[in-house]
Amino acid sequence: MIQINNIGKWYGNFQVLDGCTTRVRKGEVVVVCGPSGSGKSTLIKTVNALEPIQQGDIVIDGIAISDRKTRLPRLRAQVGMVFQHFELFPHLNVTENLTLAQVKVLGRDTGEARERGLRMLDRVGLLAHKDKFPGQLSGGQQQRVAIARALAMDPIVMLFDEPTSALDPEMVGEVLDVMVQLADEGMTMMCVTHEMGFAKRVSDRVIFMDQGKIVEDCPTTDFFGES
Ligand code: ADP
Ligand code: ADP
């Protein structure tokens, strides 16, 4: 479903991604880990073209990103992304946050977008908060809304960039629970995370990065050994 072929990216003379090659199959959950600054966040952001690359290519569902530049918003709908900081629109309530991109990017009518958004909100267990503003929600709740917002776009894959790192410890579990549920439902996922419990229990494969290179890419059971 996603092919990442020998990608390279530089900031000036500094090479942040160095010959990264991997693929993610439909329904697979891949965890990307490695030291801070090794390029994990940059790597997954290349998949929805938030980070342009200078070498190699990325193919999603048979189409190279470089061949579809004019349709970036559509690509970003197909490739849902959840960030460390929830990035909800603070001046829009939860329902409006869930609806806006569906209308603007997918051209859905407001009623349909609202219905789909609320269905996703229910899925993450927050329907009761539909009229609140982001500032009235906890960090964990905001992150679950951000996940619902991405899901409302009918993505074929979900990218997570340290989705629990900015949360108070007591809220990590509720976000991981939603991610586990998505994995169980067969969502294709690429997750940068330090949550090794999640990696071990939920992921199919682990990619380990160091200094811009993928230095390990193996089934989760191999990565964690026999125990
Ligand atoms: P990770 O997610 O593994 O912590 P990142 O992908 O965020 O790593 O960053 C990889 C490296 O690239 C880091 O050394 C970071 O400082 C550097 N970097 C990221 N963005 C930029 C940028 N816009 N300009 C220069 N260097 C950058
Ligand atoms: P994340 O890991 O979630 O991307 P970062 O704090 O690493 O968050 O980066 C935040 C933003 O700052 C990113 O857009 C990245 O491109 C940019 N950035 C990161 N490191 C550098 C750097 N050394 N020089 C310039 N920009 C950077």
Side-chain angles (χ1 to χ4, degrees), residues 11 41 45 51 84 161:
Y11 291 113
S41 171
K45 285 181 195 157
E51 294 280 6
Q84 189 172 344
D161 188 2

Side-chain angles (χ1 to χ4, degrees), residues 97-158:
N97 263 285
L98 290 163
T99 308
L100 185 68
Q102 293 187 70
V103 173
K104 296 265 186 232
V105 176
L106 301 181
R108 287 185 180 151
D109 74 59
T110 311
E112 182 193 358
R114 186 185 151 84
E115 194 223 331
R116 169 123 191 109
L118 293 180
R119 201 138 30 95
M120 294 305 118
L121 192 62
D122 194 24
R123 196 165 156 190
V124 301
L126 291 174
L127 193 54
H129 299 282
K130 66 183 170 54
D131 297 321
K132 293 199 174 146
F133 285 84
Q136 297 173 291
L137 301 177
S138 72
Q141 290 172 332
Q142 289 184 56
Q143 193 61 299
R144 286 152 66 196
V145 172
I147 294 172
R149 182 174 62 176
L151 291 175
M153 304 294 278
D154 300 321
I156 58 169
V157 53
M158 286 283 289

